[in-house]
Amino acid sequence: MSNMAQLKENIKTFETDAPVTEEEEKALYKIADSLKKGVPCTACRYCTTACPKGLDIPHLLYLYNEYLFTDGGIIAKLGISAVPEDKKPSTCISCGKCERLCPQVIPVSLAFREFTEKLKEDQ
Ligand code: SF4
Ligand code: SF4
């Protein structure tokens, strides 16, 4: 949770203990399956000040997820083309500083390496 609105929403969700319906369960499994393809970045931005390359890590991870969820769709490609050359995922030096701060334990440098490879293959 990153703000008060999200906190209130979560409290509301857990106020009732009604089980999920069969339909809701199916929808949840579908979402869970799609999440397996990406990284669970919450855009908390705890990591960003640590990056020696000044990368906008959550934005790049958002584009990476978008790329995976849409099998390399247009939004991710447009998004990455708008990122300056010196701020693209390929400039990550795998120092691991962001990863040590990430509460979601996201392997950021690996994700950026994979994203870079996928973008290259896609050219
Ligand atoms: S691993 Fe990459 S993204 Fe993370 S802090 Fe180092 S240079 Fe930045
Ligand atoms: S610390 Fe982790 S979850 Fe938070 S913005 Fe950075 S990569 Fe995403």
Side-chain angles (χ1 to χ4, degrees):
M1 288 169 280
S2 307
N3 55 45
M4 186 56 77
Q6 288 175 359
L7 177 66
K8 284 182 179 169
E9 185 65 31
N10 282 354
I11 290 170
K12 204 169 137 203
T13 301
F14 290 101
E15 264 173 0
T16 59
D17 58 0
V20 292
T21 63
E22 205 173 308
E23 206 169 285
E24 287 168 337
E25 190 176 320
K26 275 186 199 155
L28 285 171
Y29 274 115
K30 204 172 161 194
I31 292 166
D33 275 343
S34 72
L35 282 176
K36 279 188 211 157
K37 288 173 71 188
V39 290
C41 176
T42 60
C44 65
R45 304 192 73 83
Y46 295 155
C47 58
T48 50
T49 51
C51 180
K53 303 297 284 184
L55 304 187
D56 187 344
I57 297 165
H59 181 58
L60 294 176
L61 290 178
Y62 157 75
L63 292 175
Y64 179 53
N65 281 342
E66 182 65 32
Y67 187 95
L68 294 175
F69 295 159
T70 59
D71 286 323
I74 190 78
I75 293 173
K77 285 181 198 151
L78 279 176
I80 209 72
S81 69
V83 175
E85 284 306 317
D86 66 340
K87 301 294 175 200
K88 288 199 193 307
S90 57
T91 63
C92 168
I93 56 171
S94 300
C95 68
K97 288 185 177 173
C98 57
E99 294 167 5
R100 290 193 280 278
L101 293 170
C102 179
Q104 307 295 329
V105 202
I106 295 172
V108 177
S109 52
L110 178 64
F112 285 173
R113 265 204 305 280
E114 284 181 0
F115 195 11
T116 301
E117 283 305 309
K118 285 181 186 302
L119 289 167
K120 262 192 219 158
E121 286 165 14
D122 228 2
Q123 278 174 354

